[in-house]
Amino acid sequence: MARRIIIDTDPGIDDILALLLALSAKPEEVELLLISLTFGNIEVQNCLRNVVSMFHILERETQWRRENGRSEGFGTMRAFRPVVAVGAQDPLEDQKMLADYFHGTDGLGGIHASHPHLAPSQAWEHLFDPATDPNGIQSVRTGGDLGDHSFIPSKLPAYKEILRALRENEPDSVTLLWRPQRIPETFLRVKEVVVMGGAVNEPGNVSHIRKHPADPYPNLNQVENLQVTPVGEFNAYADAFAAARQLTLRLFPLDITLRHNISRGQFRKAVTPLLEKGSPLAEWVNAFMGHTFRTLERLHPGHVGDDAQLSLHDPVCVWYALTSEDPHWAPAPNSPEDIRIETTGQWTRGMCVVDHRNRHRIEGDEESSSDHGLWLSARAGNRIYRMDKSPAESNFGQVIIDKLFG
């Protein structure tokens, strides 16, 4: 039976690559039940536009491959129509922080303005707006005006669609790929919660960026007030209060995702012949990946030319969902660990705090005078399997290329 997954995401460049990876699987490998969209890298409405654009491009790519006698690929997309629903627009607490200084205001490096011929029309927007439903029936189960297309738009909030999907599937049959947010008790029906976030033994990736007067992307000039932190990973930092409320899960921190990369030269070599032959998918991905590699050169002086490396954070989680039975996946030796997210520290917000002390655990939930926060309680706290090894560290860029374009 295909693995059933739900992806909660904020696309975003690597998030789009993660979705493409999931949709490119064979139908016997995975069934993508739902794409839940939330703020994060960018505002949620831009996330929605990017996902609709992705399906638009994949439909064009399928037609192009069919006309050119190529294997259509993307079997999961063609076999199953995932629901697309809009989720959280703001963090649980504190001021919203976005990563548009890296991804671009629209999340894909300004692609909707620079390549308008690749964007869908705006006619799809009403399909996600509850106010446009005169009968008050909020969920579009038949696909509405997109009946012949590759996804089902929903007018319900994403969390309601997630709960519906969990109710309609057997307990322990759905894997949830989740951004750090609240996890309602009903989510205990899931087989596994997989989260990309945090950094344990790696430095964080939330940093102050200086103004660059000649920079063509105005949003880079809007980050003067970012708080500097040497330890916070973006997902954990951007909504630290939500990231602190976790249950048993598998965590993919920067410690593992930074070892899964694709180089500019590797990508260019694969995509150039497809561009010459007219692949819509190659043109679309090349547009936002070009922005990404240029941004890497500006922000990281050592990342230049064909040697520039993009870390594929979110695709690693999808790859785990597709291949979790591979014995080369392994958690850190001390897993499960009680890992907490610092929420208020001036210099440590978003930091993963791990209790490395070898101390005797206390039975029961009562907090003792020497154990503020229930760090030693055998029943309280988080039980997190921090993933440390994968079957594709040395060639993950090629895995992505083969799945998307092979």
Side-chain angles (χ1 to χ4, degrees):
M1 177 184 295
R3 297 177 181 88
R4 298 170 186 167
I5 65 173
I6 294 171
I7 299 181
D8 181 70
T9 181
D10 57 339
I13 289 161
D14 61 318
D15 307 75
I16 284 290
L17 294 176
L19 289 170
L20 288 171
L21 177 60
L23 293 168
S24 71
K26 297 177 181 178
E28 59 267 25
E29 292 177 325
V30 68
E31 177 182 357
L32 178 54
L33 300 174
L34 169 67
I35 299 172
S36 163
L37 301 173
T38 181
F39 85 97
N41 290 318
I42 50 175
E43 297 284 1
V44 72
Q45 285 306 118
N46 285 324
C47 294
L48 177 58
R49 178 167 61 168
N50 291 344
V51 166
V52 172
S53 295
M54 176 189 70
F55 281 108
H56 171 70
I57 289 296
L58 287 177
E59 289 159 9
R60 289 177 56 181
E61 176 74 6
T62 299
Q63 181 65 26
W64 176 81
R65 292 185 182 186
R66 189 179 299 127
E67 292 173 352
N68 287 271
R70 293 172 173 263
S71 172
E72 294 179 11
F74 293 93
T76 289
M77 182 191 73
R78 290 185 289 108
F80 310 105
R81 296 172 65 200
V83 173
V84 175
V86 178
Q89 301 188 42
D90 297 288
L92 288 179
E93 301 184 35
D94 217 330
Q95 185 176 0
K96 182 188 295 183
M97 174 185 165
L98 305 173
D100 51 5
Y101 58 86
F102 182 84
H103 295 269
T105 303
D106 69 354
L108 294 178
I111 193 173
H112 301 291
S114 63
H115 294 70
H117 62 289
L118 297 178
S121 70
Q122 297 299 304
W124 54 268
E125 289 184 333
H126 76 282
L127 297 173
F128 297 89
D129 183 4
T132 63
D133 191 335
N135 299 317
I137 301 173
Q138 306 242 325
S139 185
V140 183
R141 279 285 148 263
T142 63
D145 295 346
L146 295 182
D148 295 330
H149 289 240
S150 305
F151 66 94
I152 300 174
S154 174
K155 299 183 182 185
L156 286 173
Y159 78 91
K160 291 187 177 181
E161 287 289 4
I162 294 173
L163 296 176
R164 177 197 57 78
L166 294 178
R167 285 194 304 269
E168 292 179 357
N169 289 277
E170 301 83 2
D172 300 323
S173 67
V174 177
T175 294
L176 181 62
L177 281 69
W178 193 243
R179 290 192 71 256
Q181 296 179 44
R182 287 175 294 185
I183 299 185
E185 189 172 337
T186 311
F187 285 16
L188 293 175
R189 290 175 59 91
V190 303
K191 175 182 179 181
E192 199 167 31
V193 179
V194 177
V195 171
M196 188 277 129
V200 177
N201 297 314
E202 287 285 340
N205 63 353
V206 179
S207 59
H208 180 83
I209 302 174
R210 292 177 299 170
K211 283 186 178 180
H212 192 302
D215 199 294
Y217 298 96
N219 47 300
L220 274 175
N221 297 329
Q222 300 170 4
V223 296
E224 279 289 299
N225 297 322
L226 278 186
Q227 182 180 4
V228 181
T229 171
V231 294
E233 180 275 328
F234 178 79
N235 285 339
Y237 183 93
D239 201 355
F241 286 90
R245 304 179 186 183
Q246 296 296 338
L247 305 172
T248 302
L249 52 80
R250 293 194 182 272
L251 181 69
F252 288 77
L254 294 181
D255 305 62
I256 184 171
T257 62
L258 285 173
R259 303 199 299 265
H260 295 73
N261 303 291
I262 186 170
S263 72
R264 175 188 253 157
Q266 186 180 29
F267 177 76
R268 179 182 54 77
K269 181 179 178 181
V271 81
T272 298
L274 294 171
L275 290 172
E276 294 172 349
K277 295 175 181 177
S279 163
L281 179 63
E283 183 182 4
W284 191 65
V285 175
N286 184 64
F288 65 74
M289 289 291 280
H291 158 85
T292 303
F293 287 119
R294 291 191 296 271
T295 302
L296 284 170
E297 287 185 330
R298 288 197 302 274
L299 302 182
H300 304 284
H303 290 259
V304 295
D306 279 355
D307 293 331
Q309 298 269 339
L310 173 66
S311 295
L312 300 166
H313 303 293
D314 291 279
V316 177
C317 293
V318 170
W319 187 239
Y320 170 77
L322 299 180
T323 65
S324 59
E325 295 177 0
D326 191 311
H328 292 93
W329 288 107
N334 295 326
S335 294
E337 300 166 300
D338 189 349
I339 301 178
R340 314 284 180 93
I341 302 296
E342 173 59 51
T343 60
T344 58
Q346 180 180 3
W347 307 116
T348 57
R349 171 176 162 167
M351 178 182 182
C352 286
V353 180
V354 187
D355 189 353
H356 293 294
R357 298 170 294 178
N358 185 17
R359 299 169 64 189
H360 178 69
R361 283 199 171 271
I362 302 171
E363 294 294 332
D365 295 334
E366 293 186 6
E367 185 172 346
S368 72
S369 59
S370 61
D371 184 29
H372 296 291
L374 298 176
W375 285 93
L376 298 179
S377 170
R379 300 180 184 176
N382 296 312
R383 295 182 60 78
I384 294 178
Y385 290 85
R386 175 168 55 92
M387 301 304 291
D388 186 54
K389 294 182 180 179
S390 91
E393 289 184 19
S394 61
N395 67 332
F396 193 53
Q398 194 60 48
V399 168
I400 295 291
I401 288 169
D402 291 345
K403 287 290 186 179
L404 270 58
F405 303 113

